[in-house]
Amino acid sequence: MPAKQEVSSFIRSTFRSVWALELLCFLKKHRDRAWPQRELVIALRGSDLVVSQSVESLLAAGLVVSEPGQLVRYQPTSDAVEKLAGAAESLYATRPDAVRRMIVAPAASGLSSFADAFKLWRD
């Protein structure tokens, strides 16, 4: 089992949105088949854009592969990536709010930095 800090870092660096993590969990649960994007949109009740962006981020992270016919299958590139994905899925199942905050935190800190640039003095 990976260390908590390693899992936290993996979540922050891998998932740009909770949708991507939801997609990972779905594909991992149904690892026995490849899925066309339109079926993923229906299964996740998402949009084409959200699903395609999520697929791109999971491809970049080495968690899924793209097959002929625009099919997507869960297939991590290594055992280490598999263990991190499993740990992320377990943490999301037990502490969903904490995982959501991990995913959103980098975006919020960037916005805070931008807002801080306009402050005339520090509090």
Side-chain angles (χ1 to χ4, degrees), residues 3-82:
K4 288 181 183 180
Q5 182 62 29
E6 190 178 9
V7 175
S8 176
S9 177
F10 173 77
I11 289 170
R12 283 187 179 98
S13 65
T14 302
F15 304 106
R16 289 190 278 169
S17 72
V18 175
W19 284 103
L21 180 54
E22 288 283 344
L23 178 60
L24 171 72
C25 293
F26 179 83
L27 291 171
K28 197 169 179 301
K29 182 178 178 181
H30 303 284
R31 65 173 62 218
D32 58 325
R33 69 172 277 210
W35 292 82
Q37 186 167 321
R38 68 186 177 287
E39 286 185 34
L40 292 172
V41 169
I42 293 167
L44 294 175
R45 297 180 182 173
S47 68
D48 284 326
L49 179 63
V50 166
V51 171
S52 65
Q53 288 176 341
S54 298
V55 167
E56 287 175 23
S57 69
L58 295 178
L59 279 166
L63 291 162
V64 299
V65 293
S66 182
E67 297 183 354
Q70 296 183 332
L71 300 174
V72 179
R73 175 189 301 274
Y74 175 74
Q75 187 175 332
T77 55
S78 68
D79 288 339
V81 173
E82 168 84 26

Side-chain angles (χ1 to χ4, degrees), residues 105-117:
S109 66
L111 184 58
S112 296
S113 297
F114 178 73
D116 287 345

